Amino acid sequence: MTIDRRKILLAAPALLAACSGRKVLSYDGPQVTSIMAFKSQRRLYLMHGNKALKAYPFQLGFAPVGHKQFEGDGKTPEGAYIIDRRNPNSAYHLSVGISYPNDHDRAFAEAHGKSPGGEIFIHGTPRAFESKQDWTAGCIAVMNNEVEEIYSMVGDYTPVFVKA
């Protein structure tokens, strides 16, 4: 009997979420082939090819203009990344990780003697922040019911494009 390691790795987040008591939705629609986030519009799109499957409004880091350069700058990164991890036990309901910093981000910060930071996610919103604008430390925050959809629809290694 052959065990397909990729299937185990892809199933692990759902199993962990089931153990955590969080409800993880199932999704049986077209594959999400990329995520497009437009900071100036505060809109995130789950894409299948060039067709938007879903769109969500979002909140950004507390300093929303410009590309994240250093840890603690409050900016949300801009550029090309991938979904590289999941957190079914997130303090922000559920979350999917964005692969910031990339090599360019690290090199830029290092050249300035600083850390690029990290731990950038698409995540839910605690009740206390539901009416606040741009409150994260650099993440993309959607409502909790929306992050449940995103978590179920988006696979690991999905490309993420964050634009100004």
Side-chain angles (χ1 to χ4, degrees), residues 24-35:
V24 175
L25 304 174
S26 62
Y27 176 69
D28 192 23
Q31 178 185 7
V32 174
T33 57
S34 66
I35 300 170

Side-chain angles (χ1 to χ4, degrees), residues 30-133:
Q31 178 185 7
V32 174
T33 57
S34 66
I35 300 170
M36 302 289 296
F38 297 92
K39 290 170 55 173
S40 62
Q41 299 171 9
R42 304 293 196 284
R43 297 291 287 179
L44 181 139
Y45 298 90
L46 302 184
M47 305 296 294
H48 176 74
N50 62 0
K51 180 183 178 203
L53 299 172
K54 292 288 244 174
Y56 305 94
F58 63 81
Q59 299 297 315
L60 293 166
F62 60 81
V65 177
H67 173 59
K68 182 168 196 61
Q69 296 177 321
F70 311 116
E71 183 173 19
D73 66 8
K75 295 181 181 180
T76 300
E78 297 171 2
Y81 302 96
I82 62 167
I83 296 299
D84 65 350
R85 62 202 181 280
R86 300 169 170 275
N87 186 355
N89 297 310
S90 173
Y92 301 98
H93 195 61
L94 292 170
S95 60
V96 291
I98 297 173
S99 63
Y100 175 88
N102 61 28
D103 291 342
H104 181 266
D105 299 321
R106 276 190 287 282
F108 181 86
E110 185 177 305
H112 290 83
K114 296 186 177 185
S115 167
E119 299 300 312
I120 302 298
F121 289 86
I122 299 169
H123 61 64
T125 301
R127 197 172 301 255
F129 291 96
E130 286 179 354
S131 62
K132 302 222 187 265
Q133 172 119 7

Side-chain angles (χ1 to χ4, degrees), residues 6 9-10 33 81-84 155-159:
R6 186 166 186 254
L9 290 173
L10 292 174
T33 57
Y81 302 96
I82 62 167
I83 296 299
D84 65 350
D156 291 345
Y157 311 108
T158 300

